[in-house]
Amino acid sequence: MLLAVDVGNTNIVIGVWQGDKTIARFRITTRHDATSDEYVSLAHGLLGDIKLGKGSVEGAVMSSVVPPLVPRLVKVIERIAGVEPLVVGPGVKTGLNILYEDPREVGADRIVNCVAALSRWQPP
C-alpha cells in the first residue's frame, strides 16, 4: 500500500492505494494548533478499517504548503504507517525542470500535480 498526504492551508487530504486501486480517501480540516497525537487519533479513526502498520505500507509521500505542520505530520505518518514519508519540497528530484524564477516558491502541491499528470499523459 501507498499512503499519500497533501497538506493544504484549509484541508489535509489522505489517500491510501493498493496498486492502482484507491482503498481510502479522506479530507480533514488543517489545524495549525493540533498536536501529532491529535492527528494520530483522527487518522486512526478515519483509517480504522484499513490495516495500516509495519509491513502493510510500502511507502508514504507528503506534500505540504504549511511548513510548520511538516514535522508533526511526519511523526503521524511514521506512527500510523511505520514508514518515513518522502516529503516533497526543494531538493527532491521529481524529474521536472521547473523554470520559475525561484523554484522554491512553487508549492509542493503543484509539483506533485505535475508529476501525476506526466505519469498519465505525454507532454507536448
Side-chain angles (χ1 to χ4, degrees), residues 1 7 18 21 29 43 45 47 53 56 58 62 72 84 89 95 99 113 117:
M1 282 192 275
V7 184
Q18 182 81 49
K21 182 180 178 193
T29 301
L47 299 168
S56 66
E58 298 166 22
M62 178 173 62
R72 275 180 264 171
E84 182 179 347
L99 301 175
N113 287 339

Side-chain angles (χ1 to χ4, degrees), residues 1-2 15-26 49-50:
M1 282 192 275
L2 171 67
V16 181
W17 285 267
Q18 182 81 49
D20 289 341
K21 182 180 178 193
T22 303
I23 304 287
R25 193 168 76 196
F26 302 100
D49 294 338
I50 302 167

Side-chain angles (χ1 to χ4, degrees), residues 53-89:
K54 294 181 176 152
S56 66
V57 176
E58 298 166 22
V61 63
M62 178 173 62
S63 67
S64 177
V65 295
V66 188
L69 285 181
V70 170
R72 275 180 264 171
L73 292 172
V74 165
K75 287 181 188 176
V76 171
I77 293 168
E78 290 173 343
R79 283 179 58 189
I80 66 172
V83 296
E84 182 179 347
L86 168 67
V87 179
V88 177

Side-chain angles (χ1 to χ4, degrees), residues 13-121:
V13 181
I14 302 167
V16 181
W17 285 267
Q18 182 81 49
D20 289 341
K21 182 180 178 193
T22 303
I23 304 287
R25 193 168 76 196
F26 302 100
R27 181 178 301 269
I28 60 176
T29 301
T30 302
R31 288 190 37 231
H32 298 262
D33 60 342
T35 66
S36 57
D37 291 333
E38 290 173 299
Y39 277 123
V40 165
S41 177
L42 189 56
H44 275 301
L46 293 170
L47 299 168
D49 294 338
I50 302 167
K51 304 299 182 210
L52 292 181
K54 294 181 176 152
S56 66
V57 176
E58 298 166 22
V61 63
M62 178 173 62
S63 67
S64 177
V65 295
V66 188
L69 285 181
V70 170
R72 275 180 264 171
L73 292 172
V74 165
K75 287 181 188 176
V76 171
I77 293 168
E78 290 173 343
R79 283 179 58 189
I80 66 172
V83 296
E84 182 179 347
L86 168 67
V87 179
V88 177
V92 172
K93 300 295 181 199
T94 61
L96 297 178
N97 186 13
I98 301 172
L99 301 175
Y100 197 71
E101 188 172 311
D102 185 355
R104 294 171 299 180
E105 291 180 0
V106 179
D109 55 341
R110 293 175 185 244
I111 293 170
V112 296
N113 287 339
C114 290
V115 171
L118 287 172
S119 76
R120 290 186 178 198
W121 298 285

